[in-house]
Amino acid sequence: MRNVSTTSDFTFLQRKLYNTLTQFAQQRPDTEMVHDIPIKLVEEHVGHTTSNSRDHLKKVLKGMTQVQVEFDYKGESPGRKSGWGVANLIAEAYILDDNQTIRYSFPAELKRRLLDPTIFNLIDLRMQYHFTSYSALSLHELVSRYYGFSQKETFREHWTAWSVLLSGSATPHEEFRDFNKMLGRAVDQVNSIEGRFKIEVVMTKNNRKYDKLWFKLEPLMQPELGLSPAPEIVGAEVSKRLKALSLSAKDIEELGMSHDEEYLLAQADYTEAQMKKKDSVASPAAYFKAAVTNNYAKAPSKQKPAVSTDAPAPAPKPPKTVKKPAAATQTAPANQMNVLLEQWGAAQRTTIRDEINAQSPEELQLLLAKYEPQLKKDDLAYKQYKSKGLSPMVLNCLVAIIFEDRFKEAPTSDQLLQFLLSANAGV
């Protein structure tokens, strides 16, 4: 049997919530078409706190009504028919007036399939507490259905197909090495949690390129006792990595609610690589947030890139010289506006940098003392400031702080026009 897949992106939280709603429906009478589940029960199984913010829960449920699930069922015995179908993940969802109950229903035919244990893989929802990434949870659900089978191995498929299945993205990783990083972490997490068996990855090559991939299950001699850890939104590894980039606990929690861990790790890898390049990152925390928003790492993403109308998105590397702004064209006005905003921002940062470099030692000390509280928020930059003074990283961070303090709002159209005219006049 092949996995049930979605035709669009599916987040880690949505998958855990869907497992919870499905199992609850499976425990209800077959004739019950609409189900009421307590939000408290949802929180217990999903492991994410939603009591403080129903808005986030509404967003997740709304997203689930817009996702389609595709069945590609392959019969596993001679003479058994195969089937295909597509349906909305859930038909409807409501938060009732008591603000403590979710009312939902499945499309009729999909519900019939979900109640058929030969088609839908039943899982222990307590296991969801252990997993901190979509890829690990998906891999566990996939391989666990083969536990006890005589073949003790999963179906074989090209690695790009596994990339889509395990990442939850509608598109695979661009490079095998990036997929392999995610796969290795998922396998390690499954093997560290699952007490009945261990899994091993098997790969084949075609013309020296990785091709088919599948998993073998090795039963353990003595199954381990299950534990009941406290639910966590972000795993210890990811939390440690993001704290090293000077992100606050609140920032990490909010990012963990909106993005899968593998996506965050990919952006952390990219940010750390850029930090090794001289003068390329003024503020690791700000750069990482920009990387998450704009997917600098080009990782499989379940989120649509956010479009900000308040301020330009930070460029990967701030330019040191101001170039003549390109004339706007009618072919891509939105893109031209973004370019103009970035050029305007680069010009302002260059001006601020020149102002700092022109100050006397006494004036510079006063300036640093004024903005020291903001510098402390960036651990890496602040440590360099205390040990090396105004290093290139500290200077870049200071420029970013002054820029945010000086320009709290995006420039008006008149300001951009004046900038464009003055830049052209100076050429």
Side-chain angles (χ1 to χ4, degrees), residues 165-204:
L165 288 173
L166 299 184
S167 70
S169 173
T171 57
H173 288 79
E174 292 188 356
E175 301 289 341
F176 175 82
R177 64 175 180 268
D178 296 325
F179 162 71
N180 200 36
K181 288 181 182 179
M182 179 194 75
L183 178 63
R185 286 190 284 256
V187 170
D188 289 343
Q189 192 168 130
V190 170
N191 284 338
S192 67
I193 293 171
E194 177 56 62
R196 300 168 298 168
F197 57 84
K198 297 290 184 182
I199 58 174
E200 176 187 353
V201 182
V202 184
M203 299 184 190
T204 62

Coordinates of all heavy atoms in Angstrom, one line a residue, residues 165-204:
L165 N 7.2 13.0 0.3 CA 6.4 12.3 1.4 C 6.9 12.7 2.8 O 6.1 12.9 3.7 CB 6.5 10.8 1.2 CG 5.8 10.2 0.0 CD1 6.2 8.7 -0.1 CD2 4.3 10.3 0.2
L166 N 8.2 12.9 3.0 CA 8.7 13.1 4.3 C 8.8 14.6 4.7 O 8.9 14.9 5.9 CB 10.1 12.5 4.4 CG 10.1 10.9 4.2 CD1 11.6 10.4 4.5 CD2 9.1 10.2 5.2
S167 N 8.9 15.5 3.7 CA 9.0 16.9 4.0 C 7.6 17.6 4.1 O 7.5 18.6 4.8 CB 9.8 17.6 2.9 OG 9.1 17.7 1.7
G168 N 6.6 17.0 3.5 CA 5.3 17.6 3.5 C 5.1 18.7 2.5 O 4.1 19.4 2.4
S169 N 6.2 19.0 1.7 CA 6.2 20.0 0.7 C 5.6 19.4 -0.6 O 5.7 18.2 -0.9 CB 7.6 20.6 0.5 OG 7.6 21.4 -0.6
A170 N 5.1 20.3 -1.5 CA 4.6 19.8 -2.8 C 5.7 19.6 -3.8 O 5.5 19.0 -4.8 CB 3.6 20.9 -3.3
T171 N 6.9 20.1 -3.4 CA 8.1 19.9 -4.3 C 9.2 19.3 -3.5 O 9.4 19.5 -2.3 CB 8.5 21.3 -4.9 OG1 8.8 22.2 -3.8 CG2 7.5 21.9 -5.8
P172 N 10.1 18.5 -4.2 CA 11.2 17.8 -3.5 C 12.4 18.8 -3.3 O 12.4 19.9 -3.8 CB 11.6 16.7 -4.5 CG 11.2 17.3 -5.8 CD 10.0 18.1 -5.6
H173 N 13.4 18.3 -2.5 CA 14.6 19.0 -2.3 C 15.3 19.1 -3.7 O 15.2 18.3 -4.5 CB 15.6 18.2 -1.4 CG 15.1 18.3 0.0 ND1 14.2 17.5 0.6 CD2 15.6 19.0 1.1 CE1 14.0 17.7 1.8 NE2 14.9 18.7 2.2
E174 N 16.0 20.3 -3.9 CA 16.7 20.5 -5.1 C 18.0 19.6 -5.2 O 18.3 19.1 -6.3 CB 17.1 21.9 -5.3 CG 16.0 22.9 -5.5 CD 16.4 24.3 -5.8 OE1 17.6 24.5 -5.8 OE2 15.6 25.2 -6.0
E175 N 18.6 19.3 -4.1 CA 19.8 18.5 -4.1 C 19.7 17.3 -3.2 O 19.0 17.4 -2.1 CB 21.0 19.4 -3.6 CG 21.3 20.6 -4.5 CD 21.9 20.2 -5.8 OE1 22.4 19.1 -6.0 OE2 21.9 21.0 -6.7
F176 N 20.2 16.2 -3.6 CA 20.2 15.0 -2.8 C 20.8 15.2 -1.4 O 20.3 14.7 -0.4 CB 20.8 13.8 -3.5 CG 20.9 12.5 -2.6 CD1 19.8 11.7 -2.5 CD2 22.0 12.2 -1.9 CE1 19.8 10.6 -1.7 CE2 22.1 11.1 -1.1 CZ 21.0 10.2 -1.0
R177 N 21.9 15.9 -1.3 CA 22.6 16.1 -0.1 C 21.7 16.8 1.0 O 21.8 16.5 2.2 CB 23.9 16.9 -0.3 CG 23.8 18.3 -0.8 CD 25.1 19.0 -0.8 NE 25.0 20.3 -1.3 CZ 25.1 20.7 -2.6 NH1 25.3 19.7 -3.5 NH2 25.0 21.9 -2.9
D178 N 20.9 17.7 0.5 CA 20.0 18.4 1.5 C 18.9 17.4 1.9 O 18.5 17.4 3.1 CB 19.4 19.6 0.8 CG 20.4 20.7 0.4 OD1 21.4 20.8 1.2 OD2 20.2 21.3 -0.6
F179 N 18.4 16.6 1.0 CA 17.4 15.6 1.4 C 18.0 14.6 2.4 O 17.4 14.2 3.4 CB 16.9 14.9 0.2 CG 16.2 13.6 0.5 CD1 15.0 13.5 1.1 CD2 16.8 12.4 0.1 CE1 14.4 12.3 1.4 CE2 16.2 11.2 0.4 CZ 15.0 11.1 1.1
N180 N 19.3 14.3 2.1 CA 19.9 13.3 3.0 C 20.1 13.8 4.4 O 20.1 13.0 5.3 CB 21.3 12.9 2.3 CG 21.8 11.5 2.9 OD1 21.0 10.6 3.1 ND2 23.1 11.4 3.0
K181 N 20.4 15.1 4.6 CA 20.5 15.6 5.9 C 19.2 15.4 6.7 O 19.1 15.0 7.8 CB 20.8 17.1 5.8 CG 22.2 17.4 5.4 CD 22.4 19.0 5.4 CE 23.8 19.3 4.9 NZ 24.0 20.8 4.9
M182 N 18.1 15.8 6.0 CA 16.7 15.6 6.6 C 16.5 14.2 6.9 O 16.0 13.8 8.0 CB 15.7 16.2 5.7 CG 14.2 16.0 6.2 SD 12.9 16.3 5.0 CE 13.1 14.8 4.1
L183 N 16.8 13.3 6.0 CA 16.5 11.9 6.1 C 17.3 11.3 7.3 O 16.8 10.5 8.1 CB 16.9 11.1 4.8 CG 16.7 9.6 4.9 CD1 15.3 9.2 5.1 CD2 17.3 9.0 3.6
G184 N 18.6 11.7 7.4 CA 19.4 11.2 8.5 C 18.9 11.6 9.9 O 18.8 10.7 10.8
R185 N 18.4 12.8 10.0 CA 17.8 13.3 11.3 C 16.5 12.5 11.6 O 16.3 12.2 12.7 CB 17.6 14.8 11.3 CG 18.9 15.6 11.4 CD 18.6 17.1 11.6 NE 18.2 17.7 10.4 CZ 18.9 18.5 9.7 NH1 20.2 18.8 10.0 NH2 18.5 19.1 8.6
A186 N 15.7 12.3 10.5 CA 14.5 11.6 10.7 C 14.7 10.2 11.2 O 14.0 9.7 12.1 CB 13.6 11.6 9.5
V187 N 15.6 9.5 10.5 CA 15.9 8.1 10.9 C 16.4 8.0 12.3 O 16.0 7.1 13.1 CB 16.9 7.5 9.9 CG1 17.4 6.1 10.4 CG2 16.3 7.3 8.5
D188 N 17.3 8.9 12.6 CA 17.9 8.9 14.0 C 16.8 9.1 15.0 O 16.8 8.4 16.1 CB 19.0 10.0 14.2 CG 20.2 9.7 13.4 OD1 20.4 8.5 13.0 OD2 21.0 10.6 13.1
Q189 N 15.9 10.0 14.8 CA 14.8 10.3 15.7 C 13.9 9.1 15.8 O 13.5 8.7 17.0 CB 14.0 11.5 15.3 CG 13.1 12.0 16.4 CD 12.6 13.4 16.2 OE1 11.4 13.6 16.3 NE2 13.4 14.3 15.8
V190 N 13.5 8.4 14.7 CA 12.6 7.3 14.8 C 13.3 6.1 15.5 O 12.7 5.5 16.4 CB 12.3 6.8 13.3 CG1 11.6 5.4 13.4 CG2 11.4 7.8 12.7
N191 N 14.6 5.9 15.3 CA 15.3 4.8 15.9 C 15.5 5.1 17.4 O 15.6 4.1 18.2 CB 16.6 4.5 15.3 CG 16.5 3.8 14.0 OD1 15.5 3.1 13.7 ND2 17.5 3.9 13.1
S192 N 15.6 6.3 17.8 CA 15.7 6.6 19.2 C 14.4 6.6 20.0 O 14.4 6.5 21.2 CB 16.3 8.1 19.4 OG 15.4 9.0 18.9
I193 N 13.3 6.6 19.3 CA 12.0 6.6 19.9 C 11.3 5.3 19.8 O 10.7 4.8 20.8 CB 11.1 7.7 19.3 CG1 11.7 9.1 19.6 CG2 9.6 7.6 19.8 CD1 11.0 10.2 18.9
E194 N 11.3 4.7 18.7 CA 10.5 3.4 18.4 C 11.2 2.3 19.2 O 12.4 2.0 19.1 CB 10.5 3.1 16.9 CG 9.8 1.8 16.6 CD 8.4 1.7 17.1 OE1 7.6 2.5 16.7 OE2 8.2 0.8 18.0
G195 N 10.4 1.6 20.0 CA 10.9 0.5 20.9 C 10.7 -0.9 20.3 O 11.2 -1.9 20.9
R196 N 10.0 -1.0 19.2 CA 9.7 -2.4 18.7 C 10.6 -2.8 17.6 O 10.9 -4.0 17.4 CB 8.2 -2.4 18.1 CG 7.2 -2.1 19.1 CD 5.8 -1.9 18.4 NE 5.9 -0.7 17.5 CZ 5.0 -0.4 16.6 NH1 3.9 -1.2 16.4 NH2 5.1 0.7 15.8
F197 N 11.2 -1.8 16.8 CA 12.1 -2.1 15.7 C 13.0 -1.0 15.4 O 12.8 0.2 15.9 CB 11.2 -2.4 14.5 CG 10.3 -1.3 14.0 CD1 10.8 -0.3 13.3 CD2 9.0 -1.3 14.4 CE1 9.9 0.8 12.9 CE2 8.1 -0.3 14.1 CZ 8.6 0.8 13.3
K198 N 14.0 -1.3 14.6 CA 14.9 -0.3 14.1 C 14.8 -0.2 12.6 O 14.4 -1.2 12.0 CB 16.4 -0.6 14.5 CG 16.7 -0.5 16.0 CD 16.6 0.9 16.5 CE 17.0 0.9 18.0 NZ 16.9 2.3 18.6
I199 N 15.1 0.9 12.0 CA 14.9 1.0 10.5 C 16.3 1.3 9.9 O 17.2 1.9 10.5 CB 13.9 2.1 10.1 CG1 14.3 3.4 10.6 CG2 12.5 1.7 10.5 CD1 13.4 4.6 10.1
E200 N 16.5 0.8 8.7 CA 17.7 0.9 8.0 C 17.4 1.4 6.6 O 16.5 0.9 5.9 CB 18.5 -0.4 7.9 CG 19.8 -0.3 7.1 CD 20.4 -1.7 6.9 OE1 19.9 -2.6 7.5 OE2 21.4 -1.8 6.1
V201 N 18.2 2.4 6.1 CA 17.9 3.0 4.8 C 18.7 2.2 3.8 O 19.9 1.9 3.9 CB 18.4 4.5 4.7 CG1 18.1 5.0 3.3 CG2 17.7 5.3 5.8
V202 N 18.0 1.8 2.7 CA 18.6 1.1 1.6 C 18.5 2.0 0.3 O 17.4 2.5 0.0 CB 18.0 -0.3 1.3 CG1 18.8 -1.0 0.2 CG2 18.0 -1.1 2.6
M203 N 19.6 2.2 -0.4 CA 19.6 3.0 -1.6 C 20.2 2.3 -2.8 O 21.1 1.5 -2.6 CB 20.3 4.3 -1.4 CG 19.8 5.2 -0.3 SD 20.7 6.8 -0.2 CE 20.0 7.5 1.3
T204 N 19.8 2.6 -4.0 CA 20.4 2.1 -5.2 C 20.9 3.3 -6.0 O 20.4 4.5 -5.8 CB 19.4 1.3 -6.0 OG1 18.3 2.1 -6.4 CG2 18.9 0.1 -5.2

